[in-house]
Amino acid sequence: MAPAPDTAKRLDTQVDGAYSIDVSNVDATVLMRITAMAFRHRWRMSVAVLTTILGGLFQLMVPQYLGQAVDQAQGLLRDAAAGVSDQSAAESALLTSALLLLGAAILRGVFTMMHNYQGEAVGQLIGYRLRLDYYRQLQRLSLSWHDRVHTGDLMTRGILDIEGVRLWVDTGILRSVLLTVLIGGGAVVLFRNDPVLACVALSFVPIVGIRASIARLKLRDTWILMQDKMSELTNVMEENLGGIRVVRAFAAQAFELGRYDRISEEALTIASRRVRLFVLSTTQMTFVYFLAMGLTLWVGGAKVAAGEISLGQLTEALAFMLILQMPVRQIGWMINSIARASTCGGRLFNVIDLEPSIADKPGAGDLVLTEGVVRFENVDFSYPSWAKDDRTLAGIDLEARPGKMIGIVGPPGSGKTTIAQLLGRYYDVTGGRITVDGQDIRDVTLASLRDTVAIVQQEPFLFTASIDHNVAYGDPWAGRSSIERSAQTAQLHNYIKALPNDYETLVGERGVSLSGGQRQRLSIARAILPDAKLLVLDDSTAAIDAATERRIRESLKDYTKERGVIVIAHRLSSLMHADEIVFLEAGRIVERGDHDSLMAAGGRYAQLYELQARTGAEPKTGAEPKTGGAS
Amino acid sequence: MNPVQSQQDATRRDGSGAETDRPPLAVVGSQISQDEELFGRAFDPWVIKRFMAYLAPYKRQLLIGLGCVLAFTLTQLTLPLLVRATIDHALADGADDLSLLQIFVVAFLGVVVLNYAANHFMETLIGKTAQRLLFDLRRAMYAHLQVVSLSFMDRTEVGRLMSRLQGDVNALQEFLESSIFAIGDLVLLVGIVIVLLSLDPALGGLTLSVLPLLLLVRIIWLPLARKAFMRAREASSTTNAALAENVHGIRAIQELRREAVNFELFEEKARENLDAHLAASRYTNVMVPIVDTLTGSAMAIVILIGGSMVLDNTLDVGVMVAFLFYVQRFFDPIRSLTLQYSIMQRAMAAGQRIFEVMDVEVEVQDAPDAEDPAEIDGAIEFRDVTFGYERGNPILRNITFKVQPGETVALVGPTGSGKTSTTALVHRFYDVWEGEVLVGGRDVRAVTQDSLGRHIAMVLQEPFLFSATIEENIRYAKTGSTRAQVEDAATAVGAHDFIMRLENGYDTMLDQRGSNLSLGQRQLISFARALLADAKILVLDEATASIDSYTELEIQRALARLLKDRTAMVIAHRLATIRGADRIIVLEGGEIVEQGSHDALMASGGLYARLYRMNYASFDDIPADEVAKAIASGERET
Ligand SMILES: Nc1ncnc2c1ncn2[C@@H]1O[C@H](COP(=O)(O)OP(=O)(O)OP(=O)(O)O)[C@@H](O)[C@H]1O
Ligand SMILES: Nc1ncnc2c1ncn2[C@@H]1O[C@H](COP(=O)(O)OP(=O)(O)OP(=O)(O)O)[C@@H](O)[C@H]1O
Ligand SMILES: [Mg+2]
Ligand SMILES: [Mg+2]
């Protein structure tokens, strides 16, 4: 198994550290971990390593046979000069050399093929594994984490970083094996031939090694900088494209391009630095290598002249060096890919290793529904990213039960949406507790809880898919009739029927091609399709006209008969029939009761009501509630 | 647990349990078909030609780079020749003249230094130019996206554009980086052929005779490999699309509990991706032993034929050695070019996709003689406007109305009636099909879009904020404005209080899309942003839909002052919001069904009166006389 990089589990709520990129000291650990992942594919990795070694050995044979052939040819020449040649024997010797060479080349090719293929296969398998892990992890991590990270950054990790890690198997592990075999095997051959010449021929190795490790560190630094900059650039581009209407509305193209250019220039500077570093190291390595070749020629030449070695031996030494030319060049790529793999791996593992703060307790059972009563008991809450210790919600008590409707009103930022989020346990309460039929929602499985609570979010996200897929998103087994029934309830069916492809019509990412109200109605239909016990409508009729809203309310009557409903709204007509209306202000309940009692009390609710019911009237004097949340 | 519930549960559990039971209505990833048909050619003259245009600014660098490549190749070619000369002349039998050896070695070292210099310059120059080129390309694409029509942006997912801006540019980068070597290799290849043929034409010819075989193999291999690569490419783009969906829609996914189903579907895609890549890899690698066999054959030929030639005294041993060296070097580039085939093909596809974006026609464009008025009077006029998003499906029909400078006009109507679309036309987000839209007395097509941006401030139905500080977001429209102005705007919309309560006040960093604020707070900030723009025309599309009536009232009080001699178009469903409007235009099904003042509309008893009553009728228990009173008070007001 891969060594766990860290001792303590990191929760995804930690504001920093959870997400910041600090791979400087986990470099080796990360590489080890990827390597361990590779060796989990034992069979393939064995084949890959074995064929790499064999391929290297056969590649080493090539210079030997070349040298042999040269010696033979020269020997023949000498013999011919001396008149003692045996033509046919000489030719058959040449033939043997040629055939051996051919055989070595073919075998080398076959082994290289296997090594390449298995190397890539293992890389792809790792990529596959990481992709799944990453995907699942993104699904598990809590919303407070997702709030903080940028989607562009997550995409960069999921695409580019996985790629960087994947390449490590081939360009990192196997290539270093090959290099070791080539240099090591070559050294053996050379030393057997002539130790002095061998030393000269291999003199470049230590220098290249040192150069490479220096370059690797520097390159890694630039990779870290570069990945960060690219993430930043991605974010800028993604936001710009996502908010293109705002950009257009304010004719801010020039400003946006300026912002882009600034980051892009910085990225380019880093990229150029990387090119410089990279080129400097590769060319210097090649240079040193060629110098060594020159020396070999010199020393070897002198030795041949002195008769200490044969011309063939010199040829062999040179041919061996020639074989190393490509690998030496590739050392540059190799260290680049090491640097890349450790950076990318660090970034990925940073996400994958997080512990979701919202997760099933060990041994948590499913929620057992009896009555379907949902209760907030003295709930306190503050968002993890707010450092101040003031609370978004304080001392909230609420009870929702089937057949009953609760209305929540309050100024922007008073915490209405937060209540809905807590119900689905997207965040955990910081004080008090929320129970369903007496069970603390933290003690039951998330799945069973979220099946029980359906929330229509204030800002619905629609998937790029057909309308029926979107409506049935929460229950993909749903039949056509129940889809249509939901759409009818949400007053969307007639509109859909009028579309050329009715339920098969594609809707866009955030539903751009639907109007605001249509989008909201689609998300209402989506929420009521699965059979939940409690429905929360978070301001989900704000973009719907009163007439349509009224029709929705009518048709929801059946649905709500045996379910609890919480309606959050600003338009009082949406919630004035509620059994209980709660007036929220700065995270506290300041008034509660049904419409009549609240009107009788003459407090904030009554004022708000008058404000909406009477056109053109100013509110009566009295305390004007402040907008805003935590205070 | 009621029976419906348990039955439902049963189906669901079954579904996630047994893998065979795939939910019929479950997909992951964007369902817009992928554009795979773009992919296929490894060499596309059109892409190359377009690409060349971006190379033009770097002519000088390229020329120098080319010079370096030549120098580099020459030195590369010289080195084996020097080895040959050393062997033949300095080390040949009898020639035990060590000074000759020294001369050759010094020459060798000299060439090595030259080689280093050329290599260094070449790679730095080409590498940096390649980087710059990529950034240029990305910039050009991005800049183009800033001007293409919104109708294109509506149709195209952000993720898809991002994959072109990032993924495809990266594919090109991979290509360019490896082509630094490829160029050198290619030149080297030609150089080696020349040297081989000039060293010994007969032996050279024989050695090179293996090449046609290679060609033959390629011809058979190519169509098969292409299909495999296409499949791989398609698989990765659908996998990435599914990942993108998981990233963007995570809230809905967690909320609707689609994790298990989605994961299963994603796993399928990832598995297909894996298989496709493995298949592609098999095609790439099958070429390796073939090339190696041919290399081996060429060397065997040199040994056999060359050896006998040496024997016949028609060839120097040195030449034979040089031949062997060259042959070895010769197949290196061929091998790497083979391996590069998929990179090249990917690059071509990427290039095509990039240029495809750059070629998206800009439908809404400034006329060549467009005016750029510094001041306008704020009148808005629609003359018989017909407009729609898709051909044959008009959304707005024969819209005619006029808004006087300084007037506040409200647009009301049921959802989907075309209110937002109407405001989009004022800003010329789209061009009308028929009729004309005039702003400040000029056709919007006769002025620059920039001037429209300056004179019209909009609060869009969906409040989009950037991940920047609150202050930066508010001053987005007018980047030069001071902190005091920012605070004024925030105060006017009643956002100042809550902003000051945040830990860092105006310097609070917003998360992506401002998700650390409530929707109402975001709406307030986007409202403040529009106010700060200080434009002649203000368009408010449901600007207070997520804001309570108190705050709204405060805003309206502030607006009364701010809207002095400004024109406003207000859309709202809460009819209380529009009570201050001078005139009301009622839209239904894309047509104006009535317009006039509140009183006139109430009197005529049309759709507005119905909607209006509905607004109150939904307060079921309001007695009729109270409604009448409310109406009466409204009359007093106007
Ligand atoms: N970008 C688009 N592409 C295609 N169709 C669109 C697009 N935007 C809106 N539509 C369609 O045009 C019609 C009018 O939409 P519009 O957004 O103008 O309505 P609206 O009056 O603002 O409604 P709402 O009150 O719900 O916001 C709707 O049927 C909608 O589906
Ligand atoms: N993800 C988040 N991270 C940090 N703070 C948040 C987050 N979401 C909301 N807040 C803050 O918590 C407070 C309550 O927000 P909430 O969204 O619950 O308000 P709301 O009552 O729903 O308002 P609205 O009517 O505008 O929708 C606000 O001050 C808001 O800025
Ligand atoms: Mg809210
Ligand atoms: Mg609209």
Side-chain angles (χ1 to χ4, degrees):
Chain A
M1 245 307 283
D6 243 24
T7 43
K9 283 179 182 169
R10 288 172 312 137
L11 271 185
D12 66 359
T13 43
Q14 287 168 10
V15 175
D16 29 53
Y19 160 59
S20 70
I21 297 138
D22 177 28
V23 286
S24 45
N25 48 11
V26 292
D27 186 25
T29 342
V30 168
L31 290 181
M32 292 267 289
R33 185 158 163 195
I34 306 172
T35 311
M37 285 183 82
F39 277 97
R40 217 172 296 159
H41 302 279
R42 206 159 295 146
W43 182 80
R44 283 180 188 275
M45 267 318 263
S46 315
V47 173
V49 171
L50 197 71
T51 51
T52 308
I53 294 172
L54 287 174
L57 289 179
F58 278 106
Q59 195 171 356
L60 281 174
M61 281 183 191
V62 172
Q64 264 180 302
Y65 294 132
L66 284 184
Q68 198 176 322
V70 170
D71 270 352
Q72 282 165 349
Q74 207 185 27
L76 290 173
L77 204 61
R78 238 184 249 119
D79 292 351
V84 289
S85 80
D86 179 350
Q87 190 86 5
S88 64
E91 284 195 339
S92 79
L94 269 183
L95 186 64
T96 322
S97 292
L99 286 182
L100 281 175
L101 191 68
L102 183 60
I106 292 175
L107 281 175
R108 183 211 148 194
V110 171
F111 286 129
T112 310
M113 170 183 74
M114 287 167 77
H115 134 213
N116 279 350
Y117 176 69
Q118 292 302 351
E120 183 159 353
V122 172
Q124 290 288 357
L125 282 164
I126 290 182
Y128 169 73
R129 188 73 266 152
L130 280 175
R131 208 164 265 135
L132 292 186
D133 287 351
Y134 186 65
Y135 188 91
R136 198 202 292 274
Q137 179 71 356
L138 291 184
Q139 289 187 332
R140 290 169 66 225
L141 286 170
S142 66
L143 287 192
S144 58
W145 184 80
H146 278 284
D147 284 345
R148 292 193 316 273
V149 295
H150 206 289
T151 52
D153 188 36
L154 292 183
M155 286 310 290
T156 317
R157 290 180 197 221
I159 299 174
L160 297 183
D161 288 348
I162 287 184
E163 195 68 8
V165 171
R166 180 176 77 67
L167 290 174
W168 158 254
V169 177
D170 194 27
T171 53
I173 304 176
L174 294 181
R175 200 145 290 169
S176 35
V177 170
L178 181 64
L179 215 65
T180 314
V181 169
L182 286 183
I183 293 179
V188 170
V189 176
L190 285 177
F191 273 104
R192 256 207 330 247
N193 264 342
D194 186 288
V196 179
L197 197 60
C199 286
V200 174
L202 292 174
S203 59
F204 71 94
V205 173
I207 302 177
V208 166
I210 292 167
R211 187 72 194 82
S213 49
I214 295 172
R216 191 184 70 84
L217 289 178
K218 285 194 184 157
L219 273 172
R220 203 205 50 213
D221 291 347
T222 60
W223 265 109
I224 294 175
L225 283 176
M226 187 69 193
Q227 284 316 69
D228 284 357
K229 265 292 160 254
M230 286 320 284
S231 276
E232 205 178 314
L233 197 63
T234 308
N235 295 350
V236 165
M237 292 193 288
E238 203 185 78
E239 289 213 333
N240 170 287
L241 298 177
I244 194 80
R245 272 164 198 269
V246 177
V247 177
R248 299 290 168 87
F250 296 112
Q253 284 98 330
F255 170 70
E256 286 286 315
L257 276 176
R259 202 151 74 121
Y260 171 89
D261 283 343
R262 209 191 59 241
I263 300 174
S264 174
E265 280 301 319
E266 283 167 14
L268 183 58
T269 314
I270 299 172
S272 300
R273 178 146 32 117
R274 198 176 76 212
V275 169
R276 207 169 49 235
L277 272 174
F278 176 65
V279 168
L280 201 66
S281 67
T282 45
T283 52
Q284 278 180 359
M285 285 188 255
T286 309
F287 178 61
V288 173
Y289 156 82
F290 271 131
L291 279 186
M293 193 157 163
L295 280 179
T296 312
L297 189 64
W298 187 15
V299 176
K303 278 180 172 269
V304 173
E308 287 172 32
I309 56 171
S310 72
L311 189 54
Q313 278 172 314
L314 177 60
T315 310
E316 190 183 322
L318 289 174
F320 164 70
M321 292 201 69
L322 219 51
I323 282 185
L324 283 184
Q325 186 177 350
M326 268 313 218
V328 165
R329 263 219 234 168
Q330 282 168 349
I331 290 179
W333 290 102
M334 207 172 97
I335 55 175
N336 192 38
S337 101
I338 295 175
R340 185 172 167 195
S342 68
T343 315
C344 294
R347 285 163 49 93
L348 267 178
F349 293 140
N350 247 340
V351 174
I352 291 181
D353 292 341
L354 283 177
E355 277 300 314
S357 53
I358 308 279
D360 290 347
K361 263 195 188 158
D366 278 356
L367 183 65
V368 182
L369 277 177
T370 47
E371 283 178 275
V373 180
V374 179
R375 207 174 269 132
F376 275 61
E377 297 171 11
N378 197 20
V379 166
D380 287 349
F381 176 73
S382 53
Y383 281 99
S385 52
W386 283 160
K388 265 202 227 161
D389 52 7
D390 52 29
R391 288 165 295 177
T392 311
L393 291 177
I396 303 289
D397 284 304
L398 272 183
E399 186 185 283
R401 57 171 62 239
K404 290 264 190 294
M405 172 174 163
I406 295 182
I408 304 180
V409 270
S414 53
K416 305 179 295 295
T417 300
T418 308
I419 288 184
Q421 305 285 20
L422 292 182
L423 260 178
R425 204 182 161 212
Y426 295 104
Y427 302 87
D428 268 338
V429 296
T430 46
R433 61 177 201 151
I434 301 173
T435 60
V436 178
D437 287 338
Q439 304 148 75
D440 190 320
I441 59 171
R442 284 166 296 189
D443 296 336
V444 298
T445 57
L446 272 178
S448 61
L449 173 69
R450 290 181 185 167
D451 278 344
T452 312
V453 183
I455 305 178
V456 182
Q457 298 284 2
Q458 205 167 6
E459 265 186 306
F461 178 93
L462 301 183
F463 294 87
T464 309
S466 60
I467 290 180
D468 55 353
H469 275 101
N470 268 293
V471 174
Y473 202 78
D475 181 7
W477 288 273
R480 185 50 164 263
S481 60
S482 51
I483 293 176
E484 290 194 5
R485 206 165 342 108
S486 300
Q488 252 154 3
T489 308
Q491 302 299 314
L492 198 61
H493 180 71
N494 290 344
Y495 170 73
I496 297 173
K497 272 295 176 201
L499 293 171
N501 299 322
D502 60 59
Y503 279 87
E504 261 92 66
T505 310
L506 283 179
V507 295
E509 219 169 30
R510 275 178 189 258
V512 240
S513 52
L514 293 179
S515 82
Q518 288 160 351
R519 216 147 61 213
Q520 287 193 330
R521 282 180 283 161
L522 184 53
S523 75
I524 292 176
R526 178 170 81 182
I528 60 177
L529 181 80
D531 185 68
K533 255 309 183 225
L534 178 69
L535 176 68
V536 183
L537 297 165
D538 187 357
D539 209 6
S540 28
T541 51
I544 299 174
D545 57 290
T548 312
E549 191 201 350
R550 193 190 157 113
R551 282 201 298 277
I552 295 176
R553 212 168 37 239
E554 304 270 276
S555 57
L556 267 177
K557 275 220 170 89
D558 261 352
Y559 178 87
T560 53
K561 218 172 267 156
E562 43 194 63
R563 290 176 179 82
V565 182
I566 296 182
V567 176
I568 299 172
H570 289 295
R571 217 187 309 165
L572 293 186
S573 57
S574 312
L575 48 69
M576 55 180 294
H577 315 284
D579 300 287
E580 183 182 27
I581 298 168
V582 166
F583 197 109
L584 208 61
E585 205 177 285
R588 283 170 187 76
I589 296 178
V590 291
E591 282 176 30
R592 66 193 311 161
D594 65 2
H595 176 74
D596 292 336
S597 67
L598 286 175
M599 287 305 287
R604 303 220 156 108
Y605 178 83
Q607 288 165 20
L608 199 63
Y609 179 82
E610 259 163 50
L611 204 57
Q612 288 190 13
R614 294 228 223 123
T615 56
E618 295 279 293
K620 284 189 197 142
T621 49
E624 267 196 23
K626 292 240 155 45
T627 59
S631 58
Chain B
M1 202 187 278
N2 71 33
V4 187
Q5 169 87 35
S6 53
Q7 188 191 335
Q8 188 91 30
D9 265 295
T11 15
R12 188 172 302 176
R13 298 281 132 73
D14 276 349
S16 44
E19 267 169 73
T20 42
D21 183 15
R22 273 275 295 282
L25 279 176
V27 287
V28 288
S30 154
Q31 293 308 302
I32 292 175
S33 67
Q34 304 292 328
D35 24 22
E36 65 284 342
E37 69 281 1
L38 285 175
F39 190 65
R41 270 174 291 185
F43 184 84
D44 188 327
W46 179 78
V47 172
I48 300 281
K49 212 178 108 219
R50 295 292 304 269
F51 203 61
M52 284 304 174
Y54 286 87
L55 277 177
Y58 302 109
K59 234 179 236 147
R60 211 171 54 91
Q61 280 95 322
L62 282 180
L63 279 180
I64 300 175
L66 214 64
C68 291
V69 170
L70 282 179
F72 175 71
T73 314
L74 275 180
T75 50
Q76 286 278 77
L77 284 172
T78 320
L79 290 176
L81 284 178
L82 278 173
V83 174
R84 177 233 149 162
T86 317
I87 291 171
D88 277 351
H89 301 296
L91 303 176
D93 290 336
D96 39 16
D97 186 357
L98 272 184
S99 66
L100 204 55
L101 176 66
Q102 271 157 14
I103 291 172
F104 279 125
V105 169
V106 168
F108 187 94
L109 294 181
V111 175
V112 167
V113 171
L114 271 181
N115 176 278
Y116 168 67
N119 190 4
H120 187 86
F121 276 118
M122 164 182 102
E123 291 196 7
T124 316
L125 211 65
I126 297 183
K128 284 192 176 170
T129 310
Q131 284 293 346
R132 206 154 291 147
L133 196 67
L134 291 173
F135 277 80
D136 286 355
L137 269 176
R138 178 160 31 215
R139 169 95 175 28
M141 193 170 15
Y142 184 70
H144 187 67
L145 288 176
Q146 300 302 309
V147 296
V148 296
S149 320
L150 278 180
S151 50
F152 170 78
M153 299 300 285
D154 288 347
R155 282 196 307 271
T156 320
E157 296 155 278
V158 172
R160 188 169 297 264
L161 294 174
M162 287 307 296
S163 94
R164 294 184 188 206
L165 283 162
Q166 293 291 46
D168 289 330
V169 172
N170 270 321
L172 276 186
Q173 168 165 8
E174 193 185 0
F175 168 69
L176 284 181
E177 273 182 3
S178 52
S179 66
I180 299 172
F181 286 152
I183 294 173
D185 282 346
L186 226 55
V187 178
L188 189 65
L189 215 61
V190 176
I192 290 178
V193 169
I194 294 171
V195 173
L196 283 185
L197 289 177
S198 59
L199 272 179
D200 190 293
L203 189 57
L206 263 175
T207 315
L208 295 178
S209 67
V210 297
L211 279 186
L213 261 173
L214 189 67
L215 219 64
L216 193 71
V217 173
R218 295 283 307 227
I219 289 172
I220 302 169
W221 175 80
L222 209 58
L224 299 171
R226 181 179 297 166
K227 245 174 63 199
F229 289 134
M230 264 162 73
R231 184 178 149 211
R233 165 92 206 181
E234 204 183 310
S236 22
S237 71
T238 48
T239 316
N240 290 341
L243 179 67
E245 182 195 86
N246 194 38
V247 166
H248 293 278
I250 188 65
R251 279 171 183 74
I253 289 168
Q254 291 196 348
E255 172 192 314
L256 293 159
R257 302 250 316 93
R258 270 289 287 266
E259 290 100 331
V261 170
N262 282 6
F263 186 75
E264 203 177 302
L265 294 171
F266 180 74
E267 194 169 13
E268 244 165 59
K269 300 214 158 166
R271 161 74 52 185
E272 158 64 14
N273 183 44
L274 174 68
D275 291 344
H277 276 94
L278 289 186
S281 163
R282 278 194 284 275
Y283 275 105
T284 307
N285 284 313
V286 79
M287 282 304 281
V288 173
I290 297 176
V291 172
D292 272 3
T293 306
L294 293 176
T295 318
S297 315
M299 288 201 273
I301 290 175
V302 174
I303 290 175
L304 275 182
I305 313 286
S308 359
M309 284 164 84
V310 169
L311 212 60
D312 299 342
N313 259 331
T314 44
L315 193 75
D316 290 340
V317 186
V319 175
M320 183 175 146
V321 173
F323 249 87
L324 287 173
F325 282 180
Y326 281 128
V327 169
Q328 245 191 315
R329 279 294 288 129
F330 184 66
F331 284 91
D332 271 349
I334 290 187
R335 189 178 303 123
S336 54
L337 284 177
T338 304
L339 291 179
Q340 233 174 33
Y341 179 76
S342 65
I343 296 181
M344 226 161 108
Q345 203 181 29
R346 206 172 319 151
M348 285 301 148
Q352 205 154 2
R353 285 153 53 96
I354 289 173
F355 291 121
E356 197 192 49
V357 170
M358 293 199 212
D359 285 349
V360 170
E361 210 188 320
V362 182
E363 288 158 29
V364 178
Q365 215 167 4
D366 286 349
D369 55 349
E371 286 180 75
D372 192 14
E375 286 292 326
I376 61 162
D377 68 4
I380 302 171
E381 188 175 356
F382 274 57
R383 286 192 192 148
D384 210 15
V385 168
T386 297
F387 166 76
Y389 295 96
E390 291 142 38
R391 213 174 296 280
N393 181 20
I395 295 291
L396 298 175
R397 275 182 303 268
N398 307 74
I399 301 287
T400 303
F401 67 86
K402 184 158 192 255
V403 183
Q404 304 296 345
E407 206 181 7
T408 297
V409 164
L411 281 178
V412 290
T415 100
S417 55
K419 305 178 292 295
T420 302
S421 309
T422 307
T423 58
L425 294 182
V426 176
H427 202 294
R428 202 183 168 208
F429 282 165
Y430 309 92
D431 270 340
V432 298
W433 289 0
E434 279 166 36
E436 47 186 340
V437 176
L438 294 93
V439 168
R442 297 180 179 85
D443 191 316
V444 288
R445 285 167 293 195
V447 297
T448 62
Q449 296 176 70
D450 254 10
S451 74
L452 288 174
R454 264 184 284 118
H455 297 308
I456 305 172
M458 298 181 106
V459 181
L460 300 170
Q461 195 164 8
E462 204 185 328
F464 188 97
L465 300 182
F466 296 90
S467 19
T469 64
I470 290 184
E471 178 174 1
E472 283 165 339
N473 266 292
I474 295 180
R475 72 153 63 109
Y476 187 77
K478 261 208 162 147
T479 39
S481 42
T482 63
R483 176 62 162 260
Q485 286 171 307
V486 169
E487 289 189 12
D488 280 350
T491 311
V493 300
H496 182 72
D497 285 351
F498 96 76
I499 296 173
M500 287 316 286
R501 246 176 279 130
L502 297 174
E503 195 179 8
N504 298 316
Y506 282 86
D507 299 321
T508 306
M509 263 311 272
L510 295 188
D511 288 343
Q512 190 174 13
R513 282 176 183 253
S515 65
N516 49 347
L517 293 181
S518 83
L519 184 62
Q521 291 170 334
R522 266 180 276 162
Q523 215 156 39
L524 292 177
I525 288 181
S526 103
F527 207 141
R529 172 171 72 190
L531 282 187
L532 187 67
D534 192 26
K536 208 72 189 163
I537 298 173
L538 194 60
V539 174
L540 308 175
D541 189 354
E542 308 259 7
T544 51
S546 305
I547 295 169
D548 67 318
S549 297
Y550 277 121
T551 316
E552 188 184 353
L553 192 76
E554 279 176 34
I555 297 175
Q556 275 176 351
R557 285 206 199 110
L559 275 184
R561 180 168 46 84
L562 286 168
L563 281 182
K564 206 164 240 163
D565 27 85
R566 281 179 223 278
T567 311
M569 270 179 99
V570 183
I571 299 177
H573 285 300
R574 228 188 288 158
L575 294 184
T577 308
I578 55 163
R579 56 192 149 205
D582 298 317
R583 206 145 46 87
I584 294 157
I585 296 173
V586 185
L587 280 172
E588 190 183 17
E591 279 172 284
I592 296 186
V593 289
E594 40 188 5
Q595 54 177 310
S597 68
H598 174 82
D599 305 340
L601 291 179
M602 286 310 286
S604 73
L607 176 67
Y608 179 77
R610 278 208 311 283
L611 273 177
Y612 191 86
R613 293 211 183 88
M614 184 73 76
N615 220 359
Y616 293 101
S618 52
F619 293 84
D620 288 338
D621 16 49
I622 305 179
D625 60 300
E626 187 148 344
V627 173
K629 234 169 46 205
I631 294 169
S633 74
E635 279 166 358
R636 270 203 312 281
E637 190 66 12
T638 34

